[in-house]
Amino acid sequence: MLLGLDGRGHSRLYEAVEVGKKKAILKALDDVKAHKRKSHSIHLYLCVTKKAYFLETLRMCSEIGVNSITPIVSEYGQKLPIESKLQNALEEGLLQSNAGFLPQLNPSLKFDQLLKSQSSLIYCDNHQGEKKVNVAAEIHLLVGAEGGFSENEREMLKSSENTVAIKFDTGILRAVTCVPFALGRLTTL
């Protein structure tokens, strides 16, 4: 049996009737099933980290139900991998988890563009922040690159009226750890 996922919340079971070198014929075994989205709509703004960590973070985002991901070009960030690699990582996470929904991959933004375009943004910061924040049904979360935010970026975040810092009682977390940890904490508040 094979499970077919369309990335938009639909799945269906199939049986391989005939398998060739270049094509296969599948027979549907059940009706299309529609999956429900989670209670929170999660939009992640992720500063670009080292390629392997960035791709692993994207896989996790598919598994845990992030709705959209926007890569952020920051002062401590790395070079953004090519889009096909990003899309492949998202699809791998979807297949691993049978999540049903493929996150939307948005074009990258520069750090200052993000702050101008967002009306509400929660960001993780080891140096300062609230222990708890009021979370709406729509979460906009910013996670920094390795090394965190530069002093310039931290000042931009502090001076913006649209941002809230959240601090966790942990050591410094890599993005690949911070994303699921932060979303777990935020969605259970």
Side-chain angles (χ1 to χ4, degrees), residues 68-137:
S68 71
I69 302 163
T70 305
I72 302 299
V73 177
S74 64
E75 289 184 36
Y76 294 162
Q78 303 289 316
K79 182 180 174 191
L80 185 65
I82 60 173
E83 188 174 341
S84 63
K85 292 207 180 284
L86 304 178
Q87 201 63 44
N88 286 344
L90 291 172
E91 290 171 8
E92 288 170 8
L94 176 80
L95 294 173
Q96 168 65 32
S97 64
N98 296 339
F101 293 94
L102 186 67
Q104 176 181 329
L105 181 61
N106 298 320
S108 65
L109 289 175
K110 291 183 179 176
F111 194 88
D112 60 333
Q113 291 174 313
L114 170 64
L115 295 181
K116 292 174 188 171
S117 67
Q118 267 319 111
S119 60
S120 173
L121 189 65
I122 299 169
Y123 68 97
C124 304
D125 194 330
N126 287 17
H127 302 285
Q128 58 153 17
E130 307 294 323
K131 300 276 186 190
K132 288 187 173 185
V133 295
N134 293 328
V135 178

Side-chain angles (χ1 to χ4, degrees), residues 48-61:
V48 182
T49 59
K50 290 180 183 173
K51 181 180 171 183
Y53 297 147
F54 196 75
L55 296 176
E56 183 60 27
T57 304
L58 293 183
R59 285 183 200 96
M60 284 186 187
C61 289

